[in-house]
Amino acid sequence: MGAVGVLAVQGDFIEHVHALERLGERVLEIRLPEDLDRVEALVIPGGESTTIGKLSERFGLSDAIRERSADGMPVWGTCAGLIFMAKNLGNSGQATLGLMDVTIKRNAFGSQLDSFETDLEVEALGGDPFPAVFIRAPIFESTGDGVDVLAKLNDGKIVAAEQGNLLGTAFHPELTQDLRFHEYFAKKMR
Ligand code: GLN
């Protein structure tokens, strides 16, 4: 059984490591392109997407991630990680990995609603609503043809989606005790 990588250049990567370990996964922190050779999937954490982007580019990680993703490696981005995965950003010119065929709007809730928690219906997870933590969160402005929407807020804003090997959430499952998104991603890996 292969290991899961967590991109560990900036942001709340350690929370993802702990969540995956609680599920019994073998986890490796990814800081160099060659680290990626030892994992079967990659999580990109929340944090500051411009910093994660710049450091990943500088360390040669961006190209390595693009290559592996094109080969089908599962990649999951949460919050800043989702921003970094997107093909298009509606309100920022920063460089991204250009993986997921979506347009993402950064800091979509403005300063008044900086962070909040809400119960989300996520059919793909079944059962109880998911406790979603949003922190200076982005939203999906639009999604391409091959993208499946997994969750919306009550006002219709899209906050989780997947496209083949790619999973994106605008919120932070790693900051809750609910491991169902981590389980969902681990299943994608198998
Ligand atoms: N606002 C951050 C950004 O634009 C993302 C915040 C987060 O990851 N919690 O990168």
Side-chain angles (χ1 to χ4, degrees), residues 82 103-110 113 116 118-121 132 134 137-143 149-161 168-171:
L82 165 65
T103 300
I104 298 292
K105 181 179 181 191
R106 283 182 76 190
N107 301 320
F109 298 92
L113 204 57
F116 61 99
T118 190
D119 284 337
L120 271 188
E121 292 296 337
F134 291 81
I139 56 161
F140 293 75
E141 239 171 29
S142 62
T143 56
V149 172
L150 294 179
K152 289 179 182 175
L153 295 175
N154 288 336
D155 63 6
K157 287 192 180 87
I158 301 170
V159 291
T169 54
F171 47 92

Side-chain angles (χ1 to χ4, degrees), residues 46-49 79-80 83 106-107 135-136 172:
E48 176 52 47
S49 57
C79 202
I83 296 169
R106 283 182 76 190
N107 301 320
I135 304 170
R136 290 183 301 111
H172 291 271

Side-chain angles (χ1 to χ4, degrees), residues 79-93:
C79 202
L82 165 65
I83 296 169
F84 188 37
M85 275 172 75
K87 278 215 167 113
N88 308 296
L89 300 181
N91 58 348
S92 168

Side-chain angles (χ1 to χ4, degrees), residues 99-189:
L99 305 182
M100 199 180 209
D101 186 15
V102 294
T103 300
I104 298 292
K105 181 179 181 191
R106 283 182 76 190
N107 301 320
F109 298 92
S111 55
Q112 272 180 328
L113 204 57
D114 231 17
S115 61
F116 61 99
E117 190 173 333
T118 190
D119 284 337
L120 271 188
E121 292 296 337
V122 189
E123 220 181 283
L125 299 182
D128 296 334
F130 191 86
V133 177
F134 291 81
I135 304 170
R136 290 183 301 111
I139 56 161
F140 293 75
E141 239 171 29
S142 62
T143 56
D145 282 345
V147 178
D148 294 318
V149 172
L150 294 179
K152 289 179 182 175
L153 295 175
N154 288 336
D155 63 6
K157 287 192 180 87
I158 301 170
V159 291
E162 68 183 337
Q163 179 184 22
N165 57 316
L166 309 171
L167 174 65
T169 54
F171 47 92
H172 291 271
E174 73 280 14
L175 298 181
T176 67
Q177 298 304 308
D178 195 323
L179 295 175
R180 284 178 294 160
F181 262 104
H182 289 84
E183 254 176 335
Y184 187 80
F185 184 64
K187 256 187 225 148
K188 246 176 152 35
M189 198 176 134

